[in-house]
Amino acid sequence: MKIKIIGKELTITEALNDYVEKKLDRIDKYFEDAEADVTLRTEKNEQIAEICVISNGQRFRAVTEDKDLYASIDKDIDILEGQIRKAKTKKEKMMREGTLKNVEVISDKILEISNEIIKTEYYEIKPISPEDAVLKLQEKPTHNFLTFINVETGKVNVIHKLKDGKNFGLIEPEA
């Protein structure tokens, strides 16, 4: 990793230089070839460390301030490591989801399945009130909707979670 350390209104001592290089080893393990720009400065009573890591067109940046410069550097490294892990996980997930999930192979030809029902689930619909349906839906955090027979009307209704994650919508047939 190429490291460039700049001190603004602050002289970079050998101890500071060694400390930054030692801490950036934690970041270096994630990349083959990366550059790090480290800016250390003092404003009033605060010690500010800014670290920017660039690798493969990706840029990760952290800026923190603390009374102690070493603590500020440690916080930056923790932030950068979190950002890098998140980006790496996101990239791996995208690669995994880009696989041949919805593809059927027939005699060495790849055909994409579309506009067909490929999975069917069966479940029992019970007559309950909309309030009870909300409670039942809250019991299953992975489900987004619940179909039920409304006790009051005797018709099939659907209760669903709204995008805000806090409220619910009720779908009732008109006729």
Side-chain angles (χ1 to χ4, degrees), residues 50-155:
E50 177 181 345
I51 302 176
C52 181
V53 177
I54 301 170
S55 177
N56 300 331
Q58 289 185 305
R59 182 184 173 120
F60 304 96
R61 183 172 175 266
V63 180
T64 57
E65 56 183 61
D66 200 283
K67 300 279 184 206
D68 180 27
L69 190 57
Y70 292 97
S72 186
I73 293 168
D74 289 341
K75 286 180 188 175
D76 278 354
I77 296 297
D78 291 340
I79 291 168
L80 287 171
E81 202 167 20
Q83 289 175 357
I84 293 165
R85 268 197 250 111
K86 183 178 178 182
K88 186 178 178 183
T89 304
K90 187 175 180 180
K91 189 174 184 179
E92 287 172 355
K93 187 177 179 184
M94 285 174 56
M95 295 298 282
R96 207 172 38 241
E97 288 178 357
T99 60
L100 303 175
K101 263 189 186 171
N102 297 329
V103 174
E104 185 179 302
V105 178
I106 302 173
S107 66
D108 296 352
K109 291 183 181 179
I110 298 177
L111 302 173
E112 190 173 321
I113 298 172
S114 62
N115 296 327
E116 291 196 29
I117 299 171
I118 57 173
K119 184 178 178 183
T120 304
E121 286 188 33
Y122 297 97
Y123 61 94
E124 191 177 338
I125 298 180
K126 295 182 179 179
I128 56 175
S129 69
E131 293 78 21
D132 291 337
V134 168
L135 294 173
K136 203 166 201 173
L137 186 58
Q138 287 174 335
E139 290 173 9
K140 300 176 183 179
T142 58
H143 289 67
N144 291 325
F145 67 92
L146 176 73
T147 306
F148 65 98
I149 296 174
N150 192 331
V151 176
E152 298 156 5
T153 62
K155 295 182 180 180

